[in-house]
Each structure stands twice: as C-alpha cells, then as structure tokens.
Amino acid sequence: MNIAIYPGSFDPITCGHLDIITRCSKLYDEVIVAVLNNSSKSPLFTTEERIKLIEKSTANLNNVRAEGFDGLLVEYAKSKNTHTIIKGLRAISDFEYEFQMALLNKKLSSEIETLFMVTSESHSYISSSIVKEIAILGGSVRDLVPDEIICDLIQKIEKRR
Ligand code: COA
C-alpha cells in the first residue's frame, strides 16, 4: 500500500485543503489526513470535531481517512508505515517555513520524504484563520470551506457568541 500523510491543524478544513486531499487521493492508495492534537494555536474546534468535519467533507473519497495525532510527525508517519508527508504550498511566503520543516523532519528521520503539492490558483488565498474571521464577522464562507461543513462552522461561531 502506498500511503501518504497530509498533516495540519485543519481548524477547520478549507476548500484549499480539500483540493490537496482530492488530488492526493488520485495518486496514493490511501491518504491519512492527520489532525494535530495539542496545537499551540487555540483551536475553535476540538480535535474530534475537526476529524468529523474532514470526514464529512471527504465522504465521497473512499481512500481518505482522518485521525488525530500527538508528538513528532515523523514518528507518526513511521507508525503508519509510510515515508511520505504531503504539504500544500499556497504562495512563495509558505515556502521558507515549509522548507525549514521539511529539512528538520529529514534531520529527525532520514527516510521521511516531504512532497509539496501546489495549491490550485483559486484556493491560494485561503487559510483557516481568514475563513474563521469572515464567519465571525458574518460574511459568506461559500467556496472557502466545503459546502458540507458551512452549517457546522456557523453554528459553532454562534455558540461561542
Ligand atoms: N489551503 C488552505 N490553507 C492551507 C493550506 C491549503 N492548501 N495549507 C496550509 N494552509 C493553512 C492552514 O489553514 C493554516 O492556516 P491558519 O494558520 O490560518 O490556521 C496554515 O496554513 C498553517 O497550516 P497548519 O495546518 O497549522 O500547519 P503547519 O504548517 O503549521 O504544520 C504540522 C502543522 C502538524 C504539520 C506541524 O505542526 C507538525 O508537524 N507538528 C508535529 C510536531 C512535530 O513533528 N514538530 C517538528 C516539525 S519539524
């Protein structure tokens, strides 16, 4: 089995993430969307909620599953019997940080490979924080997050008010 790990915070999953996951699912036998637990960011959704939102958004992709992880990404990848980490690149500004992470992961475990997938142009300006800000301010998040999770996002923000 050719397995790829697509890691991140996914708070929440956006159309940009879904674009990468969908394209990846055509290249690998299985894609594991790995949701970071205990992030230093204070998330809007719990890890379990973020996993459910990914599952809802990827229900039509049979070879994609989502799960939470703690600790080092390279150790998690090894525990899943894969050496492949996929990261999305939106703009040149992502590159420096992603390059540093890829090199550090390589230093931590030489057999791990980080592969970069360029985000589609139409999604290059999306981030989870921007999407949350728009939703909090009452703007439309259509085409920014998958249709399946729009209600969950709006309800969560209303509950927080
Ligand atoms: N489309 C839309 N948005 C995207 C995107 C895409 N294709 N790719 C990334 N983003 C956005 C995210 O929404 C997020 O936005 P936000 O800051 O507004 O929330 C931002 O880019 C950063 O992504 P995030 O998911 O937070 O990932 P990260 O690049 O900070 O890395 C891990 C997350 C899980 C990969 C990293 O923290 C990790 O590996 N942790 C494990 C501990 C470890 O091994 N540390 C050593 C690493 S060298």
Side-chain angles (χ1 to χ4, degrees), residues 6-10 14 16-17 20 36 41 69 71-73 87-88 90 97-98 101 104-105 119 126-129:
Y6 180 47
S9 310
F10 304 103
T14 67
H17 296 131
I20 301 281
L36 180 65
K41 300 176 181 178
F69 82 100
L72 285 176
L73 178 60
K87 297 298 303 265
R90 288 166 300 170
Y97 175 66
E98 293 296 347
M101 294 238 285
L104 281 167
N105 280 329
T119 306
I126 305 177
S127 79
S128 297
S129 308

Side-chain angles (χ1 to χ4, degrees), residues 47-137:
T47 308
E48 291 68 32
E49 288 169 336
R50 285 179 273 151
I51 291 171
K52 288 232 166 67
L53 296 181
I54 294 166
E55 286 171 348
K56 262 187 170 183
S57 310
T58 59
N60 60 328
L61 302 171
N62 295 332
N63 61 340
V64 173
R65 67 189 168 94
E67 55 180 56
F69 82 100
D70 287 300
L72 285 176
L73 178 60
V74 290
E75 295 304 329
Y76 173 74
K78 279 190 240 169
S79 75
K80 296 290 154 188
N81 294 320
T82 179
H83 296 153
T84 311
I85 293 170
I86 303 287
K87 297 298 303 265
L89 275 187
R90 288 166 300 170
I92 200 76
S93 51
D94 280 346
F95 182 75
E96 210 171 327
Y97 175 66
E98 293 296 347
F99 189 59
Q100 181 189 22
M101 294 238 285
L103 289 177
L104 281 167
N105 280 329
K106 192 84 184 153
K107 172 96 183 130
L108 289 168
S109 182
S110 59
E111 70 263 37
I112 295 288
E113 298 293 349
T114 303
L115 302 184
F116 294 110
M117 192 173 257
V118 176
T119 306
S120 302
E121 207 182 355
S122 54
H123 298 120
S124 59
Y125 53 87
I126 305 177
S127 79
S128 297
S129 308
I130 293 288
V131 163
K132 282 182 280 190
E133 186 175 327
I134 292 171
I136 288 166
L137 297 173

